[in-house]
């Protein structure tokens, strides 16, 4: 039985939602074809209230899940059947800023970009930059070990989290790690980052801040196709240059962008666009950009622009930043797929991905964090069309198989969630999964917290 | 019963040592006051032999420990009573080098510096640089999550390990992670790095390589004392500059270095020396060094040298590289202590450390990875003198307490091992330690592998 009265006493009646019209928005995250209506949504105001809520739910034997801004792309915050969503929207305080030690302590519901905004006055920022950074929460970033265009240089979220306050699934509070770089003993912080909310609910975090680089140089290069853009990436990396970003958009993405209100003025005949960015100390950054441009021009470049100033840089980024929005306009639903291959296989696998799109008759475009070998094939579709949805999912299965066959893996930054747990056997044997399950059981033995995510059901493990 | 015959059949008779004169060198690691003679030492030739050896020992119910070059400083590779040392000296092959994807696959017994040597021709190197890098093994680096002078910029070992092959304590082999940056599912690789050989034996690893920076600038600054050197560090960091190294040596270290065969020509009246290094793209590095020099000169600088070329840079580093050797010459034994404090407390805690040395009447000097807030108080002593040894250990206990009281932690890079496990209660509560123990039990439930390390015995947990 849902302990509604007890929950209301803990967080206040106005912070417990249980009417269908109130719980409806929590039916899914940004992966829209998977949906489950929660029995209730609770909004605790801090760690203590979260702990009390969890204790009440654990006593009642009800499953629950933590949820940030709902921008997740693998159904990781989908509510377990008959369960409760613990929404972190009320926990968004910046608790402390320590510029000298380059640290920020925050509540988990704060938006990613808010942290950088607060640190800006001290010349610091929080490096992980998922596309949804203006809304997605630090708690969600930690759950998914989120990355973004600048992950190639700065690393994903795990590298920027030093200590956590978490609520365990029995309602106890645990503090892990240390604001100093290296914790003593086992690194429980590192262990929990990336477990997709299946081991504990993060309520507070100590984050590492990074100095804002004094200079940035941005190049936009247009090529005939993705193969040339990937060859350019190969040249730049082989030369030892260290860009902070290497983003590739394919022709279908360019067409969608140019047809949208955010048209970026990319060459009409371009089959791929590459954004190269360098940051760091002044003169060297300009040097690097010039060297990279020379290297790329040894290939057939249709156009090359170098940002003159901040406004120009934002213009060059406009198409990339608006890409998901532009594709979202093509159809009611957008599935942003996420997989990784070795950089050396990127061009070949990207071509295969387009082919899969054609085979399944789905509208597919591709955006790549090329430096990380991370593909984002995007499929625009209408989930109310059962046959189209079936073909979309079939295309996803083919794409994941193709990536794994090329030596890749299932997810670069969006997580496994519910979406991909049944693909885990493509990359892991039974004993790997059993070790992961045993680790989860250390924290979440009753599996009330976010069950049925990440790890395949036992009966599905045998390949 | 020691299954000597079975072990000999697995690895060859010449690779099983059991006579006292053969096992004597394995009595301790570089923390010399803790000693235990192993019943036998076995040298397997690869993963399969390691697995077979472990299976034989597990069946016999004997405890065992893996050991690399024995350069550890926390008795982490000390043999469990009546147990067997599994020495990795025969597993030192470079298995594959993939410059385009910037990866190296190695056996765990390869020396740290060997990896960089092999990658050099491709303009790449392995970034973690412990002082013992010419002998210490990658397996040991992974166990301890080792760091070094360049950790401030490049991060410790965990950031540079992508995938592992490990032998579990029951003899099964597990492959974790992926040569791609982000593994899918739980990050078992990240979990195992830094567990000090208490969860599994690493036999092979896929390492991330880093481009050799095109330019390096090295400054050596002499100050009146550690307080001024730490103030210089503070100024440089507050300015947003990003040195790759910030090493401080105190007056006692300078005196020891100058009295040794490796005399570096440091000013006689200096109470502290700071080595600042910048690496990256050409012009910016020079710019940074000039800016840093100007900032430091606002304090009272006794001397400032900037390396003109590689030979000059090696000369500036000579004193730092020879520091432990120089102190080793002062007495038969050297204890290299390791603790971390917030950078903002470094000067104050360093002064307190010297005071503790005086109070206990021990010969103490201090070397700091100042950027990381990492102190290495070094105590020269004679372990055959029971009273002196007692005072050395008392000084260590006081130092650790002082660091923890200042918001610090027990170890920056040398690990907890046997040396510090009974100090774990200074930083962790019972429930933290119980979670760590439960994680260990997932892998090492019988605790035959490297028992009595890292985690305090249950009865010692209650503060």
């Amino acid at each position: 039985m849902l302990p509604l009265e007890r929950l209301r006493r803990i967080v206040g009646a106005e912070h417990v939602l249980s009417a269908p019209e109130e719980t409806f928005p929590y039916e899914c995250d940004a992966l829209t074809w998977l949906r489950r209506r929660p029995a209730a949504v609770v909004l605790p105001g801090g760690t203590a209230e979260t702990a009390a809520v969890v204790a009440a739910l654990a006593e009642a034997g009800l499953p629950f899940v933590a949820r940030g801004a709902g921008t997740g792309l693998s159904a990781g915050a989908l509510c377990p059947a008959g369960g409760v969503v613990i929404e972190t929207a009320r926990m968004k305080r910046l608790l402390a800023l320590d510029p000298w030690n380059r640290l920020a302590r925050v509540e988990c519901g704060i938006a990613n970009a808010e942290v950088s905004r607060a640190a800006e006055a001290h010349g610091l920022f929080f490096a992980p930059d998922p596309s949804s950074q203006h809304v997605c929460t630090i708690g969600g970033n930690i759950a998914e070990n989120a990355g973004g265009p600048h992950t190639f240089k700065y690393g994903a979220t795990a590298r920027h989290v030093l200590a956590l306050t978490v609520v365990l699934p029995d309602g106890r509070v645990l503090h892990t790690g240390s604001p100093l770089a290296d914790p003593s003993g086992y690194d429980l912080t590192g262990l929990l980052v990336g477990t997709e909310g299946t081991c504990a609910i993060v309520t507070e975090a100590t984050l590492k801040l990074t100095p804002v680089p004094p200079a940035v140089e941005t190049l936009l290069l247009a090529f005939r196709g993705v193969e040339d853009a990937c060859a350019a990436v190969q040249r730049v990396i082989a030369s030892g240059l260290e860009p902070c970003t290497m983003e590739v958009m394919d022709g279908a993405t360019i067409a969608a962008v140019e047809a949208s209100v955010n048209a970026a003025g990319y060459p009409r005949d371009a089959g791929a666009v590459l954004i190269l960015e360098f940051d760091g100390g002044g003169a060297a950054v300009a040097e690097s950009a010039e060297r990279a441009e020379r290297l790329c021009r040894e290939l057939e470049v249709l156009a090359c622009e170098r940002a003159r100033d901040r406004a120009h840089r934002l213009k060059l980024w406009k198409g990339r930043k608006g890409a998901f929005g532009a594709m979202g306009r093509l159809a009611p639903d957008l599935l942003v797929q996420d997989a990784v291959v070795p950089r050396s296989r990127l061009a070949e696998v990207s071509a295969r991905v387009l082919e899969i799109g054609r085979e399944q008759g789905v509208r597919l475009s591709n955006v790549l964090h090329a430096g990380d070998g991370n593909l984002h094939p995007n499929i625009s579709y209408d989930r109310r069309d059962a046959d189209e949805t079936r073909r979309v999912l079939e295309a996803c299965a083919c794409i994941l198989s193709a990536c794994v066959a090329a030596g890749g893996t299932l997810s670069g930054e969006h997580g496994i969630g519910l979406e991909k747990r049944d693909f885990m056997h493509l990359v892991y044997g039974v004993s790997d999964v059993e070790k992961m399950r045993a680790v989860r059981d250390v924290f979440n033995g009753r599996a009330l917290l976010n069950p049925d995510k990440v790890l395949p059901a036992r009966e599905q493990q045998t390949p």
Side-chain angles (χ1 to χ4, degrees), chain A:
Chain A
M1 256 289 285
L2 202 56
L4 278 178
E5 269 320 304
R6 185 168 165 191
L7 295 172
R8 288 187 187 116
R9 276 198 307 276
I10 297 167
V11 299
E14 69 278 30
H15 298 127
V16 177
L17 317 176
S18 58
E21 67 278 14
E22 293 174 319
T23 57
F24 166 73
Y26 298 91
E27 212 175 54
C28 68
D29 60 17
L31 183 80
T32 54
W33 70 270
L34 277 164
R35 289 176 179 252
R36 272 192 219 140
R37 186 78 60 92
V41 177
V42 185
L43 293 92
T47 300
E49 285 188 13
T50 305
V53 166
V54 166
L57 296 172
E59 257 178 58
L62 285 174
F64 49 95
V65 64
R67 179 188 153 110
T71 55
L73 287 156
S74 58
L78 200 73
C79 189
V84 172
V85 166
I86 299 174
E87 148 87 48
T88 62
R90 290 179 62 220
M91 300 192 263
K92 45 174 54 167
R93 284 180 304 163
L94 178 78
L95 300 169
L97 197 67
D98 175 356
W100 160 237
N101 289 307
R102 294 183 182 165
L103 300 176
R105 204 157 66 78
V106 301
E107 286 187 323
C108 63
I110 193 170
N112 169 300
E114 275 305 312
V115 181
S116 293
R117 205 131 45 219
E120 201 179 359
H122 305 279
L124 298 169
F125 76 116
F126 181 62
D129 60 340
S131 291
S132 55
Q133 68 185 130
H134 293 285
V135 282
C136 69
T137 66
I138 292 295
N141 295 173
I142 289 171
E144 306 298 327
N145 188 23
H150 289 78
T151 297
F152 179 63
K153 173 168 178 181
Y154 292 101
T157 301
R159 200 193 282 181
H160 305 274
V161 177
L162 297 171
L164 297 173
T165 298
V166 304
V167 173
L168 296 172
D170 60 4
R172 284 184 303 157
V173 174
L174 187 73
H175 302 279
T176 72
S178 147
L180 308 164
D182 190 4
S184 301
Y186 294 180
D187 180 11
L188 296 184
T189 307
L191 191 169
L192 291 173
V193 176
T195 50
E196 306 190 18
T198 62
C199 288
I201 299 179
V202 174
T203 56
E204 295 175 21
T206 303
L207 308 175
K208 194 177 159 186
L209 301 173
T210 302
V212 175
V216 182
E217 288 280 352
T218 309
L219 287 171
L220 186 134
L221 296 134
F223 296 94
R224 226 173 257 299
V226 169
E227 203 172 333
D228 280 0
C230 288
V233 167
Q234 172 152 4
R235 272 160 189 269
V236 169
I237 291 186
S239 75
L241 283 168
E242 291 254 67
C244 57
T245 287
M246 312 186 86
E247 296 287 297
V248 172
M249 282 172 280
D250 73 353
T253 307
I254 296 169
V257 166
E258 291 304 311
S260 80
V261 294
N262 277 314
Y266 294 149
R268 290 278 160 184
D269 54 343
V273 151
L274 166 65
I275 298 179
L276 271 183
E277 199 162 86
F278 295 86
D279 66 10
V285 174
E287 252 176 53
S288 297
E290 276 153 34
R291 228 177 108 207
E293 186 179 336
R294 275 199 306 276
L295 284 167
C296 293
R297 280 189 184 280
E298 291 168 16
L299 299 161
E300 192 178 354
V301 173
L302 302 181
C304 175
E305 266 190 89
R306 183 158 155 207
R308 287 176 307 276
D309 50 30
R310 187 162 181 278
H312 194 187
R313 171 160 52 256
L314 292 180
K315 182 183 163 281
L316 298 186
W317 270 101
K318 195 179 168 193
R320 173 64 185 82
K321 296 277 182 190
F324 295 116
M327 290 179 292
R329 281 190 203 93
L330 300 182
D333 294 280
L334 177 69
L335 189 147
V336 182
Q337 194 44 267
D338 170 42
V340 186
V341 295
R343 264 199 307 267
S344 48
R345 308 287 299 270
L346 206 47
E348 162 202 347
V349 173
S350 294
R352 175 70 193 124
V353 163
L354 282 187
E355 211 174 86
I356 290 170
R358 279 192 298 270
E359 284 165 10
Q360 297 296 335
V362 296
R363 198 186 285 201
L364 191 148
S365 55
N366 198 0
V367 171
L368 303 107
H369 301 314
D372 301 308
N374 191 182
L375 300 87
H376 288 316
N378 301 291
I379 311 183
S380 304
Y381 71 109
D382 184 343
R383 76 186 149 82
R384 294 161 303 183
D385 180 335
D387 182 65
E388 189 181 15
T389 304
R390 186 193 54 72
R391 284 180 286 118
V392 167
L393 299 182
E394 185 59 33
C396 289
C398 294
I399 290 169
L400 292 176
S401 296
C403 290
V404 171
T409 185
L410 302 174
S411 163
E413 51 189 14
H414 299 171
I416 299 300
L418 190 58
E419 182 200 13
K420 295 183 183 173
R421 60 171 198 148
D422 296 335
F423 293 97
M424 285 281 277
H425 68 268
L426 290 180
V427 279
Y428 291 115
V430 174
S431 57
D432 308 81
V433 172
E434 278 317 306
K435 281 288 171 250
M436 292 183 194
R437 194 186 310 282
V439 169
R440 186 196 65 181
D441 289 351
V442 165
F443 298 90
N444 185 19
R446 288 174 74 195
L448 286 178
L449 171 61
N450 210 5
D452 74 19
K453 307 289 167 64
V454 185
L455 305 176
R458 274 176 213 276
E459 63 274 16
Q460 279 160 318
Q461 273 174 46
T462 336

